[in-house]
Amino acid sequence: MYTPLGIPERRIGFDGAIVYDLLGKHKLAGKASYLLSILKHIARYRETNCRITINDDNIEQDCFMISVANGKRYGGGFRVAPKALVTDGLLDIAIVGKIAPLKRLRYLPVIEKGGHLQLPFVQYQLAPRVSIVADRPLHAHVDGEYLSASHFNIQLANKKIAFVV
């Protein structure tokens, strides 16, 4: 599904690994399959060193997950980009850094409700474009469609609407 400004939601890292895990599997009703896969991977997923360029600022850190969004919700209602506005011409970029496995379980409901922006391991920025380079190929998905890459360049398509048929 594409957002009104023509950019699909992109999730890189942990969330991409969840989509990869669910490829070709029979899905349970609602978000049960998604939540079971999260529980399966939450302790064993390892962060990857990423170099992220946002607004000409360079960030280099170990990343658990990077979300590039134009809408507030995804994945059965998770509010990963709670401040996103589809009409502001900016991407909402949430970078979840290194986080201990037990804390991942603790903060999952916080992220689901959109209360994670003040957590010390989360950076949230707005920009018209972002570049991400990882040390190894990362699992990712674009609105649930799986892909893997070590380099991502993401930007808004100015006032475009895309329809998938």
Side-chain angles (χ1 to χ4, degrees):
M1 182 172 157
Y2 284 80
T3 60
L5 288 178
I7 182 168
E9 309 299 309
R10 287 162 168 83
R11 312 291 178 228
I12 302 164
F14 177 75
D15 201 48
I18 301 307
V19 170
Y20 179 74
D21 181 55
L22 295 173
L23 286 176
K25 292 185 178 173
H26 175 72
K27 310 289 187 302
L28 301 172
K31 54 183 176 178
S33 293
Y34 185 73
L35 291 174
L36 285 172
S37 185
I38 285 173
L39 291 175
K40 176 180 165 184
H41 291 304
I42 203 146
R44 66 181 181 169
Y45 185 83
R46 297 293 169 244
E47 293 88 349
T48 300
N49 184 267
C50 295
R51 290 165 302 287
I52 306 160
T53 303
I54 303 170
N55 294 325
D56 297 324
D57 293 327
N58 294 311
I59 301 165
E60 183 166 353
Q61 71 177 57
D62 288 338
C63 295
F64 178 70
M65 183 176 83
I66 303 167
S67 173
V68 181
N70 197 27
K72 296 178 190 286
R73 299 176 184 264
Y74 80 93
F78 278 76
R79 293 178 51 115
V80 174
K83 294 182 177 183
L85 298 170
V86 296
T87 58
D88 67 359
L90 297 170
L91 297 167
D92 289 57
I93 304 151
I95 304 166
V96 179
K98 196 166 184 89
I99 178 172
L102 287 179
K103 285 187 178 182
R104 294 173 187 173
L105 269 176
R106 176 181 175 204
Y107 289 115
L108 187 63
V110 175
I111 293 170
E112 183 175 16
K113 293 178 179 134
H116 59 288
L117 301 187
Q118 305 306 317
L119 296 174
F121 51 86
V122 175
Q123 292 183 55
Y124 193 84
Q125 295 190 40
L126 304 176
R129 72 181 94 19
V130 60
S131 174
I132 302 161
V133 178
D135 287 348
R136 62 178 173 84
L138 293 172
H139 295 295
H141 73 92
V142 179
D143 282 341
E145 296 297 322
Y146 176 77
L147 63 109
S148 177
S150 58
H151 192 180
F152 301 86
N153 286 311
I154 306 164
Q155 67 184 39
L156 285 172
N158 192 22
K159 296 183 181 182
K160 304 265 186 207
I161 298 175
F163 293 91
V164 177
V165 217

